[in-house]
């Protein structure tokens, strides 16, 4: 058999032009091998003693030449590398085939052809008999492959059979894949701080102007539907959502991930609580507004139904005449949204058939808000604010002409109705003295106990404190004024108060709120406060209603 490399004019062997081997057919399945790049170079081995073909004839001796530089490592695909390894396998270079297959599998672990070549080479290395069987079988396989891949493949296989692989040096090495692109996610939202009442529309995007080629960014808003930025999503239910964005390379490698919190409040609504809702004339009512689904500063506008107006979250109003009054509240949010609420207050006329009093007698009657369970005692945490009224006092001789209150703490008043605050803890005897137009007087007393405040409950930098105007226990309906204004924070002023009364009623906002527990039971009243830095803490107070 003649050499495929004719000598040049000086007698040197001229190597053929490198050929790109045709796609290999898997020895096992006939399928094309995967096509991933590897660095690949091999030197020809001597033919084994049992080879049935003679090795190529050695070229004629030539003059000594300078040592050639090492052959450069050639870039080959895994398909091409498998073809070269099959040629080595036919020549009996089993150790190099086993090592070369290992290198291909390092770059392409799923390459079945390389795995089969490795096993055949290992089997041939195990004994001379196995090597002979393998060599005989490979000759038959090569004939089948020639028929399958056509004339172009015949040329490539013929070259391999005579040693063309010698041009590739003496080793196979996997190509180190290029590192994945570097990319960091920065989420952009509109609005910037996505928080508000449902339905809340938020547009998501990326702060970077462009995404590198081969990088894919996908958002998950929690509904299982992947989204590609930019996109807009409407959150129609209240809750806190963690919207996640993930960047991946073309091969599936995760490059970066980021999250953005979206807070959705319940739909905007408001409610009014009036304490008491009914009563005799000269009735003073404490109102409290509960607003849900709003953030930021709120503006309250009250119409008390008798021509009077008010403002603030918890105003008080006195009705001078009997009748039914329709109270309307309009709340305006920081975003200029408005919501209305309504309530009814009934003021009753004095009973015409009041029981007669002994001749000349004056009946002094003390009424309070909050109400006293027995009419004789009242309690709460200092500072304790109480609304006192002598409007129900009467006389057999005619109208009540004067009143005098002694609150037992060095303060007094001449008003028919008065609001008084017991600033310090203590036991106070409150005395009401009334006089009629005949100068006859009557006296009534009650005891007020103002207790020391419980220490604030701390959670990190935020301390929560709940004060009440009465002891948090008594018969239903039990009206209590709650005060959380003494809560403090080292991270800045308290920005938000949220009250949960534990009886299924709407949540309430504001530092001071009034609430009526209509049914008996034990209720866990929770106050959660949030400061300017976003830190928050919660305190719970148990209210027992008989």
């Amino acid at each position: 058999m003649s050499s495929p490399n004719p000598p040049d004019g000086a007698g040197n062997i001229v190597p053929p032009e490198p050929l790109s081997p045709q796609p290999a057919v898997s020895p096992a399945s006939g399928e094309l091998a995967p096509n991933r790049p590897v660095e690949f170079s091999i030197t020809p081995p001597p033919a084994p003693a049992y080879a049935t073909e003679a090795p190529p004839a050695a070229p004629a001796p030539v003059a000594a030449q300078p040592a050639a530089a090492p052959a450069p490592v050639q870039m080959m695909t895994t398909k091409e590398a498998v073809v070269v390894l099959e040629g080595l396998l036919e020549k009996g270079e089993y150790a190099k085939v086993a090592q070369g297959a290992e290198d291909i599998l390092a770059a392409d672990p799923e390459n079945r052809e390389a795995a089969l070549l490795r096993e055949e080479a290992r089997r041939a290395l195990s004994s001379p008999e196995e090597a002979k069987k393998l060599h005989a079988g490979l000759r038959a396989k090569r004939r089948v492959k020639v028929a399958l891949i056509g004339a172009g493949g015949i040329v490539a296989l013929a070259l391999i059979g005579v040693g063309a692989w010698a041009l590739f040096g003496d080793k196979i090495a996997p190509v180190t894949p290029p590192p994945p692109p570097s990319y960091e996610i920065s989420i952009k939202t509109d609005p910037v701080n996505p928080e508000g009442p449902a339905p809340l529309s938020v547009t998501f995007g990326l702060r970077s102007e462009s995404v590198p080629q081969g990088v894919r960014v996908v958002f998950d808003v929690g509904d299982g539907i992947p989204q590609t930025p930019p996109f807009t999503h409407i959150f129609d239910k209240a809750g806190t959502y963690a919207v996640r964005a993930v960047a991946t390379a073309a091969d599936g490698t995760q490059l970066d991930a980021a999250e953005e919190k979206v807070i959705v409040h319940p739909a905007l609504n408001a409610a009014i609580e009036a304490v008491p809702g009914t009563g005799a004339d000269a009735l003073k009512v404490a109102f409290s507004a509960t607003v849900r689904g709003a953030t930021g500063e709120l503006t309250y506008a009250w119409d008390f139904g008798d021509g009077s107006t008010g403002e603030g979250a918890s105003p008080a109003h006195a009705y001078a005449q009997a009748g039914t009054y329709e109270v309307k509240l309009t709340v305006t949010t920081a975003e200029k949204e408005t919501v209305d609420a309504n309530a009814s207050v009934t003021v009753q006329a004095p009973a015409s058939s009041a029981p007669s009093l002994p001749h000349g007698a004056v009946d002094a009657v003390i009424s309070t808000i909050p109400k006293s369970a027995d009419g004789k005692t009242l309690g709460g945490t200092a500072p304790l604010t109480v609304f006192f009224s002598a409007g129900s006092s009467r006389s057999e001789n005619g109208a009540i002409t004067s009143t005098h209150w002694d609150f037992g703490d060095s303060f007094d008043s001449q008003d028919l109705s008065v609001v008084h605050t017991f600033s310090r803890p203590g036991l106070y005897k409150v005395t009401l003295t009334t006089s009629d137009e005949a100068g006859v007087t009557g006296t009534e007393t009650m005891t007020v106990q103002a207790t020391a405040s419980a220490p604030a409950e701390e959670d990190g930098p935020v301390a929560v404190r709940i004060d009440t105007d009465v002891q948090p226990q008594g018969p239903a309906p039990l009206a209590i004024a709650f005060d959380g204004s003494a809560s403090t924070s080292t991270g800045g002023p308290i920005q938000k108060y949220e009250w949960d009364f534990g009886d299924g009623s709407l949540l309430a906002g504001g530092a001071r709120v009034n609430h009526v527990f209509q049914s008996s039971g034990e209720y866990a009243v929770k106050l959660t406060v949030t400061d300017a830095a976003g830190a928050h803490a919660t305190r719970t107070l148990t209210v027992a209603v008989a």
Side-chain angles (χ1 to χ4, degrees):
M1 182 180 294
S2 62
S3 169
N5 305 332
D8 61 10
N12 297 322
I13 300 299
V14 179
E17 292 295 325
L19 296 179
S20 296
Q22 300 297 314
V25 178
S26 167
S29 63
E31 298 178 0
L32 292 177
N35 194 20
R36 299 188 183 180
V38 294
E39 295 177 3
F40 190 64
S41 57
I42 304 172
T43 54
Y50 50 81
T52 58
E53 289 184 354
V62 295
Q65 299 293 328
V73 175
Q74 301 285 333
M75 289 294 297
M76 302 180 69
T77 67
T78 52
K79 292 179 182 179
E80 295 168 336
V82 166
V83 172
V84 173
L85 286 184
E86 288 177 336
L88 282 178
L89 193 65
E90 292 185 33
K91 292 299 180 181
E93 193 70 13
Y94 306 126
K96 289 188 176 181
V97 172
Q99 182 59 50
E102 290 284 0
D103 294 338
I104 294 176
L105 289 171
D108 186 4
E110 302 299 324
N111 194 313
R112 291 179 296 172
E113 290 80 2
L116 183 59
L117 285 171
R118 179 184 62 184
E119 297 308 314
E120 289 178 334
R122 288 178 176 176
R123 190 167 65 251
L125 289 169
S126 66
S127 71
E129 292 299 322
E130 289 293 331
K132 290 179 181 180
K133 291 179 183 178
L134 177 62
H135 187 71
L138 288 175
R139 290 175 56 80
K141 286 183 181 180
R142 183 170 64 170
R143 286 195 295 272
V144 174
K145 274 192 283 185
V146 168
L148 287 175
I149 64 180
I154 293 174
V155 175
L157 290 172
L159 289 174
I160 290 172
V162 298
W165 64 88
L167 299 174
F168 297 105
D170 62 356
K171 66 177 181 178
I172 299 174
V175 173
T176 301
S182 176
Y183 181 70
E184 294 183 358
I185 293 179
S186 181
I187 299 175
K188 178 175 64 176
T189 62
D190 183 16
V192 175
N193 296 312
E195 179 176 359
L200 178 64
S201 177
V202 182
T203 299
F204 296 90
L206 300 173
R207 296 189 185 279
S208 56
E209 296 182 358
S210 62
V211 178
Q213 185 175 4
V215 175
R216 182 169 183 249
V217 179
V218 175
F219 280 70
D220 180 5
V221 297
D223 57 4
I225 301 175
Q227 299 277 9
T228 302
F231 68 96
T232 299
H233 185 77
I234 297 177
F235 299 86
D236 55 6
K237 293 183 179 180
T240 299
Y241 299 84
V243 177
R244 180 174 173 83
V246 177
T248 56
D251 62 358
T253 302
Q254 180 172 315
L255 305 177
D256 195 22
E259 280 191 0
E260 179 71 27
K261 182 189 293 184
V262 178
I263 301 175
V264 183
H265 300 289
L268 184 63
N269 63 77
I272 297 173
E273 192 164 25
V275 181
T278 61
D281 58 351
L283 176 68
K284 185 171 183 179
V285 181
F287 293 96
S288 178
T290 300
V291 181
R292 298 188 68 181
T295 59
E297 185 176 356
L298 303 177
T299 302
Y300 303 84
W302 296 83
D303 180 351
F304 297 117
D306 62 350
S308 300
T309 59
E311 59 185 18
S314 303
H317 181 66
Y319 292 90
Q321 297 180 356
T324 299
Y325 301 91
E326 297 300 324
V327 181
K328 180 181 179 180
L329 166 66
T330 299
V331 180
T332 304
T333 69
E335 294 78 20
K336 304 304 179 184
E337 294 182 273
T338 60
V339 61
D340 295 333
N342 297 277
S344 179
V345 173
T346 300
V347 181
Q348 301 165 345
S352 58
S353 58
S356 60
L357 296 172
H359 181 69
V362 173
D363 185 16
V365 178
I366 299 176
S367 301
T368 63
I369 297 176
K371 292 181 179 180
S372 168
D374 57 4
K376 296 294 184 181
T377 58
L378 190 64
T381 303
L384 174 59
T385 300
V386 182
F387 170 70
F388 293 94
S389 176
S392 298
S393 300
R394 52 202 175 98
S395 170
E396 188 71 17
N397 300 315
I400 298 295
T401 57
S402 68
T403 57
H404 178 267
W405 296 91
D406 181 353
F407 299 109
D409 59 356
S410 301
F411 290 92
D412 61 1
S413 175
Q414 309 295 325
D415 295 330
L416 181 67
S417 298
V418 62
V419 175
H420 182 69
T421 299
F422 300 90
S423 301
R424 297 180 178 179
L427 188 64
Y428 301 93
K429 181 180 180 182
V430 178
T431 302
L432 168 64
T433 301
T434 60
S435 301
D436 62 15
E437 55 190 3
V440 180
T441 62
T443 301
E444 179 73 4
T445 62
M446 74 178 304
T447 300
V448 175
Q449 183 172 15
T451 59
S453 301
E457 182 172 306
E458 297 185 3
D459 181 7
V462 182
V464 185
R465 175 170 154 175
I466 302 176
D467 295 324
T468 59
D469 60 342
V470 296
Q471 294 289 352
Q473 59 186 22
L478 177 61
I480 300 179
F482 296 94
D483 187 351
S485 61
S487 301
T488 59
S489 172
T490 60
I494 301 298
Q495 296 283 339
K496 183 178 179 182
Y497 300 82
E498 185 175 79
W499 297 86
D500 182 350
F501 301 110
D503 59 356
S505 60
L506 294 175
L507 300 180
R512 298 179 179 87
V513 295
N514 298 310
H515 188 70
V516 178
F517 297 89
Q518 302 288 352
S519 304
S520 61
E522 283 196 356
Y523 302 96
V525 178
K526 296 181 181 179
L527 169 60
T528 300
V529 301
T530 305
D531 66 13
H536 62 274
T538 299
R539 186 176 184 186
T540 302
L541 175 69
T542 300
V543 175
V545 182

